[in-house]
Amino acid sequence: MKSITRIDRLLWVMTLAGFVIRVAAILVLNDYQAPLTAEYGIVAANLVAGKGFSGGGWLGPEQPTALNTPLYPLFLAFWLWIEIPLPFLAVEVAQALLSALVIYLIGKIATSMINPMVGLLSAGLTTVYPPLIYFCKQISPAIMTTFFTALTFYVIVLFFAQPTCRRAVLVGVVWGVGLLAEPILLAAAPGVGLIYWLRQSSAARRRSALLLAGSLLLAIAIVFPWTARNYLVFNRFVPLKTSFGLNFWMGNNPNATGFLYTMSGTPMPETLAPEQRDYLASLNEAERYAVLQHEALAWIAAHPDRFLELTIKRLGYLWLISPTYQVTGEHIVEPGYFYLARSLIQILLLILALIGAGLVYRHHRHALLICLWWLLAFTLPYAISVAGNTRYRLPVEPILLILAAIACQAALVRSGLDRRIMQARQV
């Protein structure tokens, strides 16, 4: 018990250090006076103005929207509504806190799945990982989705360590709220739960299944008001958001490149014929993107070889670098070398994660399977649609940091430093 207490203490120290680093970065980057807020800021401003959850601009007029899940726009609207000086500074500091809490969560997950040393190394890497610092200053859901991804993973780990009613309720609440921030959790979380569940004894499985059924019902109850609102607004079933049809079309059409622009820098929606744009604008948001999704499916059926080629490109754009900054200046706020540096960091992390995956295979195959499922769940939606923004992969990067920490531990073991570190920790 003392060992666990010491590890927790170290994880909280890292979390505090990570928060200080992130706030310092926000102040240095100084992007909180009038930051780019994109569609999230439009919806938040409309909420504060009493116009409801409305936005638009993607191939249609401003109208009720479900382009994004509601949690992040509501979060932004709160800081605008309370009318404090520098509301976006408050937003960024709050994001810094969420990002810092990911340090603790990842440390605990890695400790549970592998061992305490990997837990500490994972937390250490998360503390200083540049994207988790940089995206605190961006007005986008990146940090929030990363936090709820890690938190959902953590409560699943907690539940299977000791399946109780209280922990089942925690899983349901966190998963339900998390879905209102990150829809990919709809597939990612059950997959992780299934892997843990299959490792239980047959006697334990029945009790866990009953408790998790309660978790599912609780998550559905949390999401239901939003889904019901969407049905009333769009007259069709939209469980979480409408944007997949739009993104699916942008990634699969005669002008598709795998990201959000043509190679000449033209935004993909502008490649539509004027009469088609007029028709789409006459529909509500859900209908509009359903039409585009149908067109994309028809195009894929007629061009399967091109779809495969684009899928390969999208995988490269997601996990290495997107060429967006090379073809357009729209929404590009950093110099070109920044995006190159980001790519180099990603490649280094991937190399370390691949080494760690190979090392963990022999003794912790279930942990590797969980990591691989998490990676697959967050890769597939972008592999078949568009991979035009580096923030898309941020929620799953902590999993790569855990695998990288395994490689780092192996290096420490070879050097003998691991024994000295653990001895120092026990003093």
Side-chain angles (χ1 to χ4, degrees), residues 67-85:
L67 183 68
N68 297 288
T69 46
L71 198 58
Y72 190 74
L74 288 169
F75 168 73
L76 279 185
F78 168 77
W79 292 108
L80 295 175
W81 174 71
I82 59 176
E83 296 184 344
I84 59 173

Side-chain angles (χ1 to χ4, degrees), residues 1 32 40 53-54 63 80 84 120 149 183 276 283 335 360 403:
M1 184 62 66
Y32 50 81
Y40 316 106
F53 205 93
S54 61
Q63 57 187 199
L80 295 175
I84 59 173
L120 292 174
T149 297
Q276 189 174 13
L283 306 175
V360 80
L403 294 173

Side-chain angles (χ1 to χ4, degrees), residues 6 10 418-427:
R6 291 192 186 101
L10 284 171
D418 65 317
R419 291 191 298 272
R420 299 177 207 171
I421 293 172
M422 296 304 286
Q423 288 169 2
R425 184 179 60 81
Q426 294 170 0
V427 173

Side-chain angles (χ1 to χ4, degrees), residues 12-187:
W12 283 119
V13 168
M14 291 182 191
T15 299
L16 178 59
F19 179 64
V20 171
I21 291 169
R22 284 152 175 74
V23 172
I26 287 169
L27 297 175
V28 169
L29 292 169
N30 190 24
D31 190 31
Y32 50 81
Q33 299 285 346
L36 177 69
T37 62
E39 63 266 27
Y40 316 106
I42 294 172
V43 175
N46 285 338
L47 283 167
V48 174
K51 298 179 182 179
F53 205 93
S54 61
W58 286 97
L59 299 172
E62 188 171 290
Q63 57 187 199
T65 182
L67 183 68
N68 297 288
T69 46
L71 198 58
Y72 190 74
L74 288 169
F75 168 73
L76 279 185
F78 168 77
W79 292 108
L80 295 175
W81 174 71
I82 59 176
E83 296 184 344
I84 59 173
L86 299 175
F88 292 112
L89 176 59
V91 170
E92 293 176 13
V93 171
Q95 291 180 164
L97 178 59
L98 294 180
S99 179
L101 289 173
V102 171
I103 298 167
Y104 178 82
L105 295 172
I106 292 304
K108 293 293 286 185
I109 291 168
T111 296
S112 174
M113 288 201 309
I114 312 295
N115 60 51
M117 175 57 72
V118 171
L120 292 174
L121 289 171
S122 299
L125 291 174
T126 307
T127 301
V128 298
Y129 185 56
L132 283 170
I133 298 170
Y134 170 80
F135 278 103
C136 293
K137 73 96 179 178
Q138 187 182 82
I139 306 302
S140 80
I143 294 297
M144 180 175 283
T145 57
T146 303
F147 169 75
F148 276 104
T149 297
L151 183 60
T152 302
F153 198 157
Y154 177 59
V155 297
I156 292 172
V157 170
L158 275 182
F159 173 81
F160 282 100
Q162 187 179 349
T164 64
C165 290
R166 181 177 298 181
R167 293 189 175 186
V169 169
L170 186 63
V171 170
V173 171
V174 170
W175 186 31
V177 176
L179 286 170
L180 296 176
E182 176 51 86
I184 295 177
L185 289 173
L186 193 63

Side-chain angles (χ1 to χ4, degrees), residues 5 88 93 108 200 248 262 352 397:
T5 302
F88 292 112
V93 171
K108 293 293 286 185
Q200 290 187 308
F248 190 60
T262 67
L352 290 174
E397 289 186 330

Side-chain angles (χ1 to χ4, degrees), residues 292-307:
L292 289 176
Q293 181 173 316
H294 179 76
E295 289 188 8
L297 288 170
W299 184 84
I300 291 171
H303 305 87
D305 53 340
R306 178 61 177 156
F307 172 72

